[in-house]
């Protein structure tokens, strides 16, 4: 992510534990979103750009390990810290085999969860592809730098966010609703015509064909 905000997805069905984790992580400076069942958690992790997830194993709708396996099978590299009630050796092995990046047993102290997440994000950010290249456009996601034909292009924070969103979804249709939900906080005006304004600015800076309009559906970068 190019902004300082670090977004954590907490998937935990126990309201008390989830609340405690969310409060502690928020205090540690993270932005937290919660899911209280495996299915919602899976969908949020697959759709949105979180920096890491805290994943409970015993979950309604879809077991934690199934959530993790499905993400990995679909190519989502989201770093995952698994929470386990029992903390047995075999469970830990199962978690790691399913693609967990780290593992913590209940009961735990929330500051430890925050510390593990920080380490995890630091460790995995080297493995993720920080530089995205698409045609003539290069986006260094860590530095927030963009080039077109190797020449630097100045983008505003929101333009960068929009470009980053598209570059993670090459070939896929992105609707106006997706963009509004991803690019605006609750305080901003959420009018979709401003999306068109940002799209046209990106086209002006990066070439008219950088993002195509898919009539009636949204936009696509391909
Ligand atoms: Ca549980």
């Amino acid at each position: 992510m190019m902004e300082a905000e670090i977004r954590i997805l907490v998937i935990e069905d126990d309201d008390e534990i989830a609340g405690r984790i969310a409060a502690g992580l928020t205090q540690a400076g993270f932005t937290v979103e919660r899911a209280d069942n495996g299915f919602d958690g899976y969908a949020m992790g697959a759709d949105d750009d979180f920096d890491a997830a805290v994943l409970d194993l015993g979950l309604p709708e879809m077991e934690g390990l199934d959530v993790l396996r499905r993400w990995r099978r679909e190519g989502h590299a989201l770093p995952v810290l698994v929470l386990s009630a029992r903390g047995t050796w075999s469970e830990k092995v199962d978690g790691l085999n399913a693609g967990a990046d780290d593992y913590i047993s209940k009961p735990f102290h929330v500051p430890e969860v925050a510390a593990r997440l920080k380490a995890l994000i630091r460790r995995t950010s080297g493995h993720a592809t920080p530089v995205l290249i698409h045609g003539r456009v290069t986006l260094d996601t860590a530095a927030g730098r963009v080039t077109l034909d190797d020449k630097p292009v100045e983008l505003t924070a929101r333009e960068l966010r929009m470009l980053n969103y598209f570059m993670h979804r090459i070939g896929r249709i992105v609707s106006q609703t997706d963009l509004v939900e991803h690019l605006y906080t609750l305080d901003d005006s959420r009018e979709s015509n401003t999306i068109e304004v940002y799209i046209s600015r990106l086209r002006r800076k990066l070439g008219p064909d950088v993002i195509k309009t898919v009539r009636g559906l949204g936009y696509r970068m391909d």
Side-chain angles (χ1 to χ4, degrees):
M1 302 298 285
M2 59 204 101
E3 60 264 297
E5 182 190 53
I6 296 176
R7 304 183 69 223
I8 307 293
L9 172 61
V10 175
I11 310 176
E12 164 64 84
D13 58 319
D14 183 312
D15 198 50
E16 191 271 326
I17 295 176
R20 211 153 47 82
I21 296 174
L25 294 185
T26 304
Q27 202 177 13
F30 296 112
T31 300
V32 179
E33 287 194 39
R34 282 166 58 174
D36 64 4
N37 68 73
F39 186 78
D40 287 350
Y42 156 76
M44 288 165 77
D47 268 357
D48 217 332
D49 300 273
F50 288 96
D51 295 279
V54 177
L55 176 67
D56 183 35
L57 289 184
L59 290 169
E61 311 274 333
M62 193 189 287
E63 285 286 329
L65 283 182
D66 292 332
V67 172
L68 184 53
R69 286 195 193 101
R70 204 162 153 187
W71 280 339
R72 296 303 186 240
R73 201 168 55 229
E74 293 170 3
H76 301 293
L78 179 69
V80 173
L81 172 62
V82 161
L83 293 179
S84 159
R86 281 162 293 169
T88 63
W89 181 80
S90 67
E91 213 177 39
K92 181 170 180 175
V93 170
D94 285 347
L96 295 173
N97 280 342
D101 299 277
D102 199 2
Y103 193 92
I104 197 166
S105 312
K106 295 176 186 173
F108 51 79
H109 295 289
V110 175
E112 191 186 352
V113 175
R116 296 275 199 106
L117 283 172
K118 277 181 188 154
L120 187 58
I121 290 165
R122 211 167 37 233
R123 202 165 71 225
T124 51
S125 62
H127 301 303
T129 320
V131 178
L132 303 174
I133 301 168
H134 184 65
R136 302 156 61 206
V137 178
T138 300
L139 167 63
D140 181 335
T141 55
R145 269 196 296 268
V146 176
T147 61
L148 175 68
D149 294 332
D150 296 325
K151 291 185 197 70
V153 178
E154 288 292 321
L155 296 186
T156 64
R158 194 166 284 165
E159 288 162 7
L160 264 176
R161 241 180 121 137
M162 181 180 267
L163 179 66
N164 188 48
Y165 193 76
F166 273 102
M167 288 192 74
H168 279 94
R169 289 163 183 76
I170 299 292
R172 280 160 59 183
I173 290 173
V174 173
S175 70
Q176 290 234 350
T177 313
D178 295 335
L179 289 169
V180 169
E181 289 188 351
H182 185 75
L183 298 176
Y184 295 88
T185 64
L186 288 173
D187 302 333
D188 293 323
S189 73
R190 293 164 76 95
E191 293 147 29
S192 58
N193 67 337
T194 57
I195 293 290
E196 282 157 35
V197 170
Y198 286 106
I199 295 271
S200 67
R201 284 191 200 161
L202 284 180
R203 284 175 176 154
R204 199 165 63 235
K205 292 178 178 182
L206 298 171
D209 296 328
V210 67
I211 293 164
K212 301 204 169 65
T213 299
V214 183
R215 206 165 290 282
L217 294 175
Y219 304 93
R220 189 174 59 214
M221 189 172 196
D222 55 14

